[in-house]
Amino acid sequence: MSESNERIVVVDDEEMVLTSIKSFLTLETDYDVHTFTKPADALEFIRDNEVHLIISDYLMPEMDGISLLAKVREAKPDVTRIILTGYADKENAIKAINEVGLFQYVEKPWDNDDLQIIIRNGLEKGHLLRQLRGKIDEINRAYSDLQGIQQEIYKAFS
């Protein structure tokens, strides 16, 4: 999958953070980046559009990042989830990893090169998971077809 097909959502109550991440990704990649200061707006966008990865701030006034990512997981389980925080709180990182299937926990201030690698790896993980699900579906269909053939053989020789 090429970068130009990858849609990323960034949610943070600080406009400067959104501008910084979007500007960097726009200059360095072909990702389709959408930014939101309100978690509810981001959630609505994610429900209505194909999104591959979300980066959410941890502490926001309307809804914390873990709650947002939990809702994203419910609505679109294949979206790779990353949390961004200025608070080096390992307990909440573990909570986020366990509760929302977090891909990565990134502390502010972040390093742009590291963030780009994390995003690329997160997108690749999502792509591989979608491929795996497709292969599992193929195997299940083939198994079902085989069971049908087996039943027909039993009927023919019974």
Side-chain angles (χ1 to χ4, degrees), residues 102-153:
L102 194 66
F103 174 71
Q104 188 80 37
Y105 188 87
V106 179
E107 292 179 15
K108 294 177 185 175
W110 64 91
D111 175 270
N112 279 341
D113 292 334
D114 290 345
L115 184 61
Q116 187 175 358
I117 290 167
I118 290 166
I119 291 169
R120 186 173 56 233
N121 289 343
L123 290 169
E124 180 65 16
K125 175 191 173 223
H127 179 67
L128 291 171
L129 282 173
R130 286 187 294 279
Q131 279 186 319
L132 179 60
R133 283 201 180 95
K135 294 296 181 192
I136 290 170
D137 289 346
E138 279 181 42
I139 290 168
N140 286 336
R141 280 192 300 274
Y143 181 71
S144 180
D145 291 347
L146 280 174
Q147 284 183 316
I149 292 168
Q150 183 181 23
Q151 288 174 354
E152 287 179 31
I153 292 171

Side-chain angles (χ1 to χ4, degrees), residues 44-110:
E44 184 178 336
F45 179 83
I46 289 167
R47 286 183 175 140
D48 294 341
N49 295 277
E50 183 179 7
V51 172
H52 301 96
L53 183 138
I54 179 171
I55 301 169
S56 175
D57 186 24
Y58 175 65
L59 283 180
M60 296 179 284
E62 293 175 19
M63 179 189 309
D64 70 67
I66 293 174
S67 299
L68 171 61
L69 295 180
K71 290 179 182 205
V72 169
R73 184 181 194 183
E74 287 173 21
K76 302 267 182 101
D78 288 343
V79 173
T80 301
R81 295 167 295 280
I82 296 172
I83 205 151
L84 183 66
T85 184
Y87 303 89
D89 184 347
K90 302 299 181 220
E91 188 177 312
N92 281 320
I94 292 165
K95 179 181 175 188
I97 290 165
N98 293 332
E99 286 185 13
V100 301
L102 194 66
F103 174 71
Q104 188 80 37
Y105 188 87
V106 179
E107 292 179 15
K108 294 177 185 175
W110 64 91

